[in-house]
Amino acid sequence: MGLNNPRVWVGVLLLAALQPAFADDEDAQERGARWKQLQESIFPKREVLDSGGIITVDAPPRALDAALVPVELHMSSPVKGIYLIIDDNPAPMAAHFVFGPKADPHDLKLRVRVNAYTNIHAVAETQDGKLHAATKFVKAAGGCSAPAGSDDAAAMADMGRMKLRLLGDFNAGKPMQAQLMIRHPNFNGMQMNQITRMYTPARFIRTIDATYNGGQVFHLDADISLATDPVITFGFVPHEKGQMTVVAQDSSDAKFDHSFDVPGTPAG
Amino acid sequence: MRSLLLALVLAAAEPSGFWTGPVNDPVPATIHGGKVIHTEELAALLKTTHAVVVDVSDSPHRPENLPATTTWLPVPHPGIPGAIWIPGGGLGAPPANVEQFYRQRLATATGNDFTRTLVVYCHKTCWLSWNGAKRAIKYGYRNVYWFPDGIEGWRKAKLPTEVLQPEG
């Protein structure tokens, strides 16, 4: 594409129009320094490369609800695992997925809390152990201290209930998307109860294991940045009809598990 | 001119007590019993006066029962050089221990001198600093400045900052 292509010019003009928002050098420097600090803490002595087209991360540039920011990850090759890091959250590591043999590790969706305007980094670990990072800047603030809801007790009562929605049709040996929903307040310990004016103690989902007919789909290490009622959309490859088993464990060592039929009973 | 009119329309009236509404609502243009100061004047004042500067911005609350596996690594908090950071000092209704810490910390910082110049700030469009300044006035400090431009205004003017650690 040359400069006589009008689409290129639209792009150039658009970039020019967006410039002021990113022109704050000091801001960019600080974000760079923060990412360096996080890399050293999370991936000590390892090199983090550019995304190299291996991973992209997407999120609304201006989130409607900072306590529920949807993040989408796309991977172009079958990676080993994914780290999701919300740079400016006080506990930046939101999720670490490790994919198993039954996974289709190309698309992932989840919802996170965002404390302040921040970069979100998605780091893919390839089969040969290389790290590739993609980034997205998100404007949202206050998601970590946002009250979870009016009633902590009600949120606890339903804890651990799960649903699995299959997106698309079952075709043996073909990748399939599924959406997992777990009821859990995922208290991050930074939310003040509006009535007692006390901080609700942290209690959140720490691990989720999804297996299909006994074969691992993914293992997730999660932390306090995952939103209330975690919703995770992931891919897997069912070679035969069977059962998706999900086991989740929270920071108080409560264990929740559920098995779902795939393809499942047709509705109605 | 238009933005000035807009600012006047948006400015809130001074509440009689502390503000207990949303922290990031529009703030008043005045503070009864104290003075409002803006960035340039503040930079000049700090050059000539040995003032006590207090940042009452929020600090993320570290949960007591966080598992050891959680990486707790809050973003460094830049402030006006030499400032003391007392999160909670500007809450509308702070817990008793927080309020007591604020009062005592001001007392030690000023050497119990109620004529010492005090500057209270947090962020732009943030009531915490208004409350924090109001509280200092209530304690009896007679030279209290409220700096509503906040750290955003300070940094916009390219003035130096230093990383502060929360106290209390």
Side-chain angles (χ1 to χ4, degrees), chain A residues 30 34 90 188-189 202 206 223, chain B residues 61 63 65 69-71 73 155:
Chain A
E30 249 168 52
R34 173 66 169 174
N188 62 7
R206 278 177 83 177
D223 216 298
Chain B
H61 168 79
N65 63 335
T69 45
T70 295
T71 309
L73 205 63
R155 298 186 70 178

Side-chain angles (χ1 to χ4, degrees), chain B residues 123-145:
Chain B
H123 295 280
K124 200 181 156 204
T125 322
C126 169
W127 277 91
L128 294 173
S129 54
W130 192 89
N131 278 344
K134 189 85 191 164
R135 190 158 283 132
I137 294 163
K138 235 181 112 189
Y139 293 157
Y141 292 97
R142 294 193 285 278
N143 276 310
V144 176
Y145 287 88

Side-chain angles (χ1 to χ4, degrees), chain A residues 24-27 30 34 37-38 41-42 87-93 115 188-192 197 199-204 206 223-224 251, chain B residues 20 58-76 78 91-95 154-161:
Chain A
D24 195 343
D25 291 345
E26 204 181 342
D27 216 41
E30 249 168 52
R34 173 66 169 174
Q37 177 195 27
L38 293 178
S41 152
I42 299 166
D87 288 24
D88 288 4
N89 275 8
M93 175 72 93
N115 199 46
N188 62 7
M190 299 169 68
Q191 299 150 313
M192 199 181 265
R197 309 294 298 162
Y199 288 104
T200 305
R203 180 165 184 179
F204 56 95
R206 278 177 83 177
D223 216 298
I224 58 174
S251 56
Chain B
T20 52
D58 264 340
S59 161
H61 168 79
R62 190 190 200 286
E64 281 94 27
N65 63 335
L66 214 54
T69 45
T70 295
T71 309
W72 183 259
L73 205 63
V75 181
L91 289 174
W154 183 263
R155 298 186 70 178
K156 209 170 165 190
K158 305 275 175 215
L159 291 159
T161 59

